[in-house]
Amino acid sequence: MNQILSDISSFLWGWPMIILLLGTHIYLTIRLRFPQRKIITAIKLSFQRDHGATGDVSQFGALATALAATIGTGNIIGVATAVALGGPGAVLWCWLTGVFGISTKYAEGLLAIKYRVKTADGRMLGGPMYALERGLGWKWMAILFALFTSIAAFGIGNTVQANAIATLTFETYGISPYLTGAVVCLLAGAVILGGVKSIARVCTMLVPFMAVFYVVGCIVILFMNGSYVWPAIKLICTAAFTPEAAGGGFIGTTVMMAARFGIARGLFSNESGMGSAPIVAAAAQTRNPVRQALVSASGTFWDTVIICALTGIVIVSSIIAYPDIDYDNGAVLTKMAFSKIPYVGAPLLTVGLLTFAFSTILGWSYYGERAAEYLGARQSVYRVLYIIGLFIGSAVSLDIVWNIADCMNALMAIPNLLALLFLSGVIVKETRKYLWNDRLNDHDGEEEND
């Protein structure tokens, strides 16, 4: 069964999916007139509280929750895996995917606000399932998206992250996986049971800390690898188009391999096009769809353009500096690359993986819960099952769960991408009204002046 699921996952995440995702990124980038050029504005908006706007959490709270789910082990081990399989050139393709993915994340955030609904108890709900149902009338596809999301949350956001934490603490400190599982359940449960406001509040504190800690740590490592940084950057750029430039253990790689694994890992890392982030973007307090769209887009900038790029340069510069590093396995490559740096390398990797994995647990708990609620499930039941899943994940080897999660993530992306493409006219109309006409401070519903 595991082999069958692995084969299905490889097919779903093969070239057809990569072309669909990257094609959507490029198409939206061109049609929306390169919203990447507004990234400074997006970053400024993310730190502003939109007083008087409708929503459950602040714009920064929604962004922090999305980043909590997105900045995960994929940013560390995923980049190393791309390098191990595709060579140093994969880092450039991963980075370019993030640059173009900013447009898709922008479009997702816009539709999340445009088609969100308000419940009887005053909560704001949205995401691809509501865009599919209310924007296109595709109720059946909305149900499929919600089903895939609720299942995927138990994989990528739950059991595999708990397993990563338990494995790391056991191998590093000899702590029993059962004890780690119990602690993770208690900590996560204390946050998750409080709902989106509790999750956003914790993520608002945790995400800046873990991101700054990891970025500063990477900069320290790059400083220590100083004489190898520029050669690493040149190797990343040349190997993306000329595989022979990689040399050494990467001589068997090709341009196609570098592109495939770099793009695939970039897409999987920043989740642009997957449809997960707009679920929490819909809860943001924002006066119009474009403001939150810009804030959501800044998440991909931080996740891939900054963090994944730093990780890639750290790994490639360490490979050049220490030729004895094993290239064959992404996890091993990461551990060896960071451990070569005295004093800061190992603690940085440990704290980074622990905080990234725990934050992913929190972010995806909200995604899964909202998807399950759309299907008619009770919130309390889903939360309890999610917490139980954390303990199971800590104690059991979960290769089969990884493959199930990979399949569900791909199946989430397909209906979401269709919604983005078929509703691109709506996205352009809203963008013209608020962004191109310089009306970002207008409230939704205000009429344009002649």
Side-chain angles (χ1 to χ4, degrees):
M1 178 61 71
N2 190 44
Q3 184 58 51
I4 292 172
L5 288 169
S6 178
D7 292 341
I8 294 173
S9 174
S10 297
F11 170 76
L12 289 173
W13 282 104
W15 277 111
M17 175 60 73
I18 290 173
I19 292 170
L20 176 61
L21 273 164
L22 189 59
T24 302
H25 288 353
I26 296 172
Y27 171 75
L28 291 174
T29 294
I30 295 172
R31 187 154 192 206
L32 295 173
R33 302 179 186 176
F34 292 83
Q36 292 88 340
R37 58 194 172 89
K38 296 291 185 180
I39 196 64
I40 301 300
T41 301
I43 293 171
K44 290 179 181 178
L45 285 174
S46 67
F47 292 102
Q48 297 176 8
R49 182 174 288 275
D50 212 343
H51 294 287
T54 304
D56 301 330
V57 297
S58 67
Q59 289 180 314
F60 184 74
L63 174 64
T65 304
L67 279 173
T70 306
I71 300 178
T73 53
N75 292 83
I76 303 177
I77 296 176
V79 174
T81 301
V83 172
L85 297 174
V91 176
L92 180 63
W93 290 107
C94 181
W95 185 81
L96 288 173
T97 301
V99 172
F100 284 105
I102 289 172
S103 299
T104 301
K105 191 64 71 75
Y106 168 91
E108 290 178 316
L110 191 154
L111 292 182
I113 300 297
K114 178 69 176 177
Y115 293 109
R116 66 181 179 179
V117 299
K118 190 172 185 178
T119 63
D121 57 0
R123 293 178 298 118
M124 303 301 294
L125 303 180
M129 51 276 202
Y130 293 93
L132 286 162
E133 178 185 353
R134 303 184 69 215
L136 293 170
W138 295 354
K139 176 74 173 180
W140 62 276
M141 191 169 284
I143 292 173
L144 286 178
F145 175 86
L147 178 63
F148 297 145
T149 303
S150 60
I151 296 173
F154 278 96
I156 187 176
N158 183 299
T159 49
V160 295
Q161 301 299 332
N163 188 262
I165 294 173
T167 300
L168 180 64
T169 54
F170 178 74
E171 292 180 352
T172 307
Y173 305 107
I175 300 174
S176 167
Y178 295 100
L179 178 59
T180 301
V183 172
V184 170
C185 285
L186 288 173
L187 292 176
V191 179
I192 292 170
L193 293 177
V196 64
K197 293 184 179 180
S198 174
I199 294 171
R201 186 165 55 249
V202 173
C203 290
T204 299
M205 295 184 291
L206 179 62
V207 168
F209 160 75
M210 72 182 194
V212 170
F213 177 84
Y214 184 73
V215 168
V216 171
C218 284
I219 292 173
V220 171
I221 292 178
L222 292 177
F223 180 78
M224 299 175 72
N225 280 354
S227 59
Y228 301 100
V229 172
W230 182 242
I233 293 174
K234 290 197 295 184
L235 178 59
I236 287 169
C237 294
T238 54
F241 306 100
T242 310
E244 292 79 9
F250 300 107
I251 197 65
T253 61
T254 66
V255 171
M256 294 295 285
M257 290 173 65
R260 177 185 173 185
F261 290 110
I263 292 171
R265 290 297 167 180
L267 295 169
F268 200 77
S269 169
N270 59 53
E271 297 183 12
S272 293
M274 194 181 293
S276 50
I279 296 175
V280 69
Q285 296 165 347
T286 184
R287 66 185 70 181
N288 63 61
V290 170
R291 287 175 71 94
Q292 182 55 36
L294 288 168
V295 173
S296 295
S298 69
T300 299
F301 171 79
W302 294 119
D303 172 78
T304 306
V305 179
I306 301 298
I307 294 179
C308 282
L310 281 173
T311 303
I313 297 172
V314 165
I315 290 171
V316 176
S317 65
S318 297
I319 290 172
I320 298 174
Y322 308 101
D324 60 318
I325 289 179
D326 181 12
Y327 310 118
D328 296 333
N329 182 286
V332 174
L333 172 58
T334 304
K335 187 174 182 180
M336 292 184 69
F338 278 82
S339 64
K340 287 290 184 179
I341 310 301
Y343 307 117
V344 299
L348 172 65
L349 182 61
T350 300
V351 175
L353 286 173
L354 287 175
T355 54
F356 284 11
F358 185 73
S359 69
T360 301
I361 290 171
L362 299 182
W364 269 91
S365 70
Y366 182 77
Y367 297 161
E369 182 182 319
R370 292 285 77 79
E373 182 178 1
Y374 182 84
L375 296 172
R378 294 179 60 183
Q379 296 179 57
S380 57
V381 173
Y382 190 89
R383 289 175 184 176
V384 171
L385 291 175
Y386 194 87
I387 294 168
I388 293 173
L390 293 173
F391 186 81
I392 295 173
S394 301
V396 180
S397 179
L398 295 166
D399 286 345
I400 192 169
V401 177
W402 254 120
N403 285 321
I404 292 173
D406 283 349
C407 293
M408 293 300 106
N409 290 150
L411 293 172
M412 284 172 60
I414 294 172
N416 178 59
L417 291 171
L418 290 175
L420 291 172
L421 293 172
F422 280 93
L423 292 172
S424 59
V426 175
I427 298 168
V428 170
K429 180 180 178 181
E430 295 292 312
T431 302
R432 178 181 294 109
K433 178 180 178 180
Y434 294 108
L435 186 60
W436 298 344
N437 289 336
D438 196 23
R439 301 172 64 90
L440 279 176
N441 291 325
D442 285 4
H443 285 270
D444 191 19
E446 289 185 11
E447 295 297 328
E448 294 187 42
N449 293 323
D450 293 331

